[in-house]
Amino acid sequence: MKFINKRGVISEYLPWILIAVAVLAIIMISIFLLKDQGVSLIDKIKSLFRG
């Protein structure tokens, strides 16, 4: 049976997991803060992609 170094796997993916959690937290906070402006926020995002 092959031995897998779990500490190496964790240290390899930990920065990406932290970045993903931080981005998710920022998105959730912005959704809660802009709840009243939700429709206009979606329109602004659509206009950014349309150019």
Side-chain angles (χ1 to χ4, degrees), residues 8-27:
V9 172
I10 291 173
S11 65
E12 186 176 333
Y13 289 111
L14 185 63
W16 295 108
I17 293 171
L18 291 176
I19 290 169
V21 169
V23 169
L24 184 63
I26 291 170
I27 291 171

Side-chain angles (χ1 to χ4, degrees), residues 3-50:
F3 177 72
I4 298 174
N5 188 0
K6 290 189 178 190
R7 185 175 294 169
V9 172
I10 291 173
S11 65
E12 186 176 333
Y13 289 111
L14 185 63
W16 295 108
I17 293 171
L18 291 176
I19 290 169
V21 169
V23 169
L24 184 63
I26 291 170
I27 291 171
M28 294 302 288
I29 290 170
S30 64
I31 286 173
F32 285 125
L33 291 178
L34 300 174
K35 196 181 285 185
D36 296 333
Q37 303 172 355
V39 175
S40 64
L41 179 67
I42 293 172
D43 290 336
K44 287 179 185 177
I45 293 172
K46 285 182 182 177
S47 67
L48 283 174
F49 288 118
R50 287 181 189 157

